[in-house]
Amino acid sequence: MSTNLELIRATYEGSSEDNGRNLRAVLAPDVEWTEAEGFPYAGTYVGPEALIDGVFRRLGTEWTGYRADVHTYLADCDRVAAFGLYSGTYNATGKSMTAPFAHLYQIEDGKVIRMTQYVDTVLVNRALS
C-alpha cells in the first residue's frame, strides 16, 4: 500500500502518459478539482470526465510542451502539497511562460477527493495575449 505522498508523486514524475494514467486511477468519482481564478481554465470541475474535458484535454491541445515540474512535496495526514513550475508555449500566440504553482490535494481511502490550484496567473496570462 502506498502512502498519500507516493500516490501524488506518481502523478507528476513519469511520462505524460504515465502521469495521466496514474492520476485517473486515483481520482474519486466525485472529485472536486479547482483551477485558480484568473487561470485560463478557472473553476471547479466535479468528476473525472469534467476535469479531463475542461482542463487536461485543453492543456494538451492549446499548448505545446506544457509541463508541471514539481520541486517540493509536503505531506500532512490526508493532505499533500506539490510546489513547482508550469511551463509551455501557448499555440494561439506562440508565447512561452513559466509560472510557479502549488497544488493542494486531499486524499481519502487512496483517492483524491479534492485539489486546489494556486498559481501566478499573471505570468500564465501573458502567454495568452
Side-chain angles (χ1 to χ4, degrees), residues 3 10 26 29 31 39 47 53-54 56 59 61 65-67 75 78 80 90 94-95 102 110 123:
T3 66
V26 299
V31 63
F39 193 68
D53 291 342
F56 290 103
L59 288 171
T61 59
Y66 191 91
R67 299 180 50 86
D78 66 346
V80 176
Y90 192 60
K95 294 181 182 178
L123 296 177

Side-chain angles (χ1 to χ4, degrees), residues 114-126:
R114 188 169 296 109
M115 193 289 294
T116 304
Q117 174 200 51
Y118 303 89
V119 60
D120 188 334
T121 57
V122 170
L123 296 177
V124 175
N125 283 303
R126 284 181 186 159

Side-chain angles (χ1 to χ4, degrees), residues 1-69:
M1 185 167 142
S2 64
T3 66
N4 290 339
L5 177 59
E6 291 166 336
L7 180 140
I8 295 304
R9 219 183 255 264
T11 69
Y12 288 100
E13 296 187 356
S15 68
S16 292
E17 294 78 20
D18 288 342
N19 293 347
R21 188 172 30 259
N22 292 341
L23 179 61
R24 176 93 184 203
V26 299
L27 292 175
D30 57 349
V31 63
E32 294 178 15
W33 189 282
T34 301
E35 299 283 300
E37 185 175 340
F39 193 68
Y41 316 120
T44 297
Y45 301 85
V46 179
E49 292 307 315
L51 169 60
I52 290 165
D53 291 342
V55 178
F56 290 103
R57 280 200 178 98
R58 293 175 68 190
L59 288 171
T61 59
E62 296 175 11
W63 295 82
T64 298
Y66 191 91
R67 299 180 50 86
D69 293 310

Side-chain angles (χ1 to χ4, degrees), residues 7 24-29 106-114:
L7 180 140
R24 176 93 184 203
V26 299
L27 292 175
Q106 185 173 352
I107 301 158
E108 187 175 281
D109 298 324
K111 296 289 185 181
V112 174
I113 62 168
R114 188 169 296 109

